[in-house]
């Protein structure tokens, strides 16, 4: 029995730019997201942007915002999957990398100095232990997200935040980047178009049509 070798990816799709080269964490979320998407090849731009938005309302019927739903394509060209994997690697390594623990501890102690506690002051030794707990609970976030969360709280609140409140601000900060990273991860893991072409749609031609309609 002759074993067939895996079909190599012969058509490498280049990124327009390295995601880290076009990324500026100080920009508003929509601009940060747009810069990262703009660094992708047109076919990937069409795939990651192929979501559906719908209005969301609270229990009283008040409008609370738009929510986008997105599903990965069933079949992806191997070159597009490889480009998605390369972009994802850069985003995870250089944009979403966890914060340095030493920097985080110093940043939290500075925040504590700005914002008085809601209860009676604690002993400095206990204060440092509290900051260490915070550093553990916020250590998964990138430095720019923590910095943004601290800045927002310092400028809008009087009292010291809870860990839950600070995590909520960090989650809000990284949502656009995490959303794009997750979509790229699913594209990179999607079934190869070479293996599934007989029964699945041609994603590159679909993406091309979407680009022409944009």
């Amino acid at each position: 029995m002759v074993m067939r070798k895996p079909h190599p990816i012969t058509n490498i799709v280049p990124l327009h730019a390295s995601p880290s080269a076009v990324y500026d964490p100080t920009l508003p979320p929509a601009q940060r997201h747009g810069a990262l998407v703009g660094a992708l090849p047109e076919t990937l731009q069409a795939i990651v942007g192929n979501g559906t938005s719908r209005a969301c309302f609270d229990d009283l019927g008040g409008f609370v915002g738009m929510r986008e739903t997105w599903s990965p394509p069933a079949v992806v060209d191997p070159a597009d999957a490889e480009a998605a994997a390369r972009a994802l690697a850069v985003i995870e390594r250089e944009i979403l990398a966890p914060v340095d623990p030493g920097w985080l501890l110093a940043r939290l102690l500075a925040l504590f100095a700005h914002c008085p506690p809601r209860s009676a002051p604690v002993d400095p030794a206990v204060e440092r232990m509290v900051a260490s707990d915070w550093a553990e609970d916020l250590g998964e976030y990138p430095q720019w997200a923590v910095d943004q969360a601290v800045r927002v709280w310092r400028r809008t609140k009087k009292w010291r935040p809870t860990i839950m409140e600070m995590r909520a601000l960090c989650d809000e900060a990284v949502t656009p980047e995490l959303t794009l990273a997750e979509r790229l991860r699913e594209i990179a893991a999607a079934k190869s178009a070479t293996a599934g072409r007989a029964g699945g749609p041609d994603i590159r031609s679909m993406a091309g049509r979407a680009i022409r309609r944009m």
Side-chain angles (χ1 to χ4, degrees), residues 164-185:
M164 183 182 299
E165 289 169 328
M166 192 56 60
R167 282 183 61 89
L169 286 174
C170 289
D171 284 336
E172 181 180 353
V174 299
T175 292
E177 289 77 7
L178 286 179
T179 299
L180 177 59
E182 183 57 34
R183 292 184 183 185
L184 290 173
R185 182 177 293 106

Side-chain angles (χ1 to χ4, degrees), residues 112-193:
F112 291 174
H114 283 295
C115 301
R118 306 183 197 208
S119 57
V122 297
D123 182 88
V126 176
E127 184 98 316
R128 190 168 183 85
M129 292 178 64
V130 171
S132 296
D133 289 340
W134 276 56
E136 178 182 348
D137 292 335
L138 299 178
E140 68 195 76
Y141 298 102
Q143 177 174 318
W144 61 266
V146 175
D147 202 38
Q148 178 176 316
V150 168
R151 187 181 305 110
V152 168
W153 189 272
R154 189 181 68 237
R155 294 178 178 179
T156 60
K157 306 294 182 180
K158 177 181 179 181
W159 303 108
R160 185 176 301 180
T162 64
I163 293 177
M164 183 182 299
E165 289 169 328
M166 192 56 60
R167 282 183 61 89
L169 286 174
C170 289
D171 284 336
E172 181 180 353
V174 299
T175 292
E177 289 77 7
L178 286 179
T179 299
L180 177 59
E182 183 57 34
R183 292 184 183 185
L184 290 173
R185 182 177 293 106
E186 295 194 45
I187 293 169
K191 186 177 180 181
S192 168

Side-chain angles (χ1 to χ4, degrees), residues 39-164:
L40 304 175
E42 282 81 359
T43 48
L44 277 185
Q45 291 183 32
I47 295 173
V48 300
N50 192 28
T52 302
S53 297
R54 62 182 180 87
C56 296
F57 302 89
D58 58 24
D59 294 338
L60 299 178
F63 177 73
V64 296
M66 301 295 293
R67 178 174 298 174
E68 184 182 26
T69 57
W70 179 88
S71 298
V75 181
V76 173
D77 187 280
D80 287 331
E82 192 272 341
R86 281 186 285 120
L88 174 63
V90 174
I91 291 173
E92 290 186 326
R93 182 179 66 249
E94 301 183 22
I95 295 176
L96 293 175
V99 61
D100 175 73
W103 180 93
L104 177 56
L105 184 59
R107 196 72 183 87
L108 291 173
L109 288 172
L111 176 63
F112 291 174
H114 283 295
C115 301
R118 306 183 197 208
S119 57
V122 297
D123 182 88
V126 176
E127 184 98 316
R128 190 168 183 85
M129 292 178 64
V130 171
S132 296
D133 289 340
W134 276 56
E136 178 182 348
D137 292 335
L138 299 178
E140 68 195 76
Y141 298 102
Q143 177 174 318
W144 61 266
V146 175
D147 202 38
Q148 178 176 316
V150 168
R151 187 181 305 110
V152 168
W153 189 272
R154 189 181 68 237
R155 294 178 178 179
T156 60
K157 306 294 182 180
K158 177 181 179 181
W159 303 108
R160 185 176 301 180
T162 64
I163 293 177
M164 183 182 299

Side-chain angles (χ1 to χ4, degrees), residues 24-42:
D24 182 354
T26 64
L27 293 175
Q31 293 185 32
R32 299 199 314 261
H33 177 77
L36 289 176
V37 172
L40 304 175
E42 282 81 359

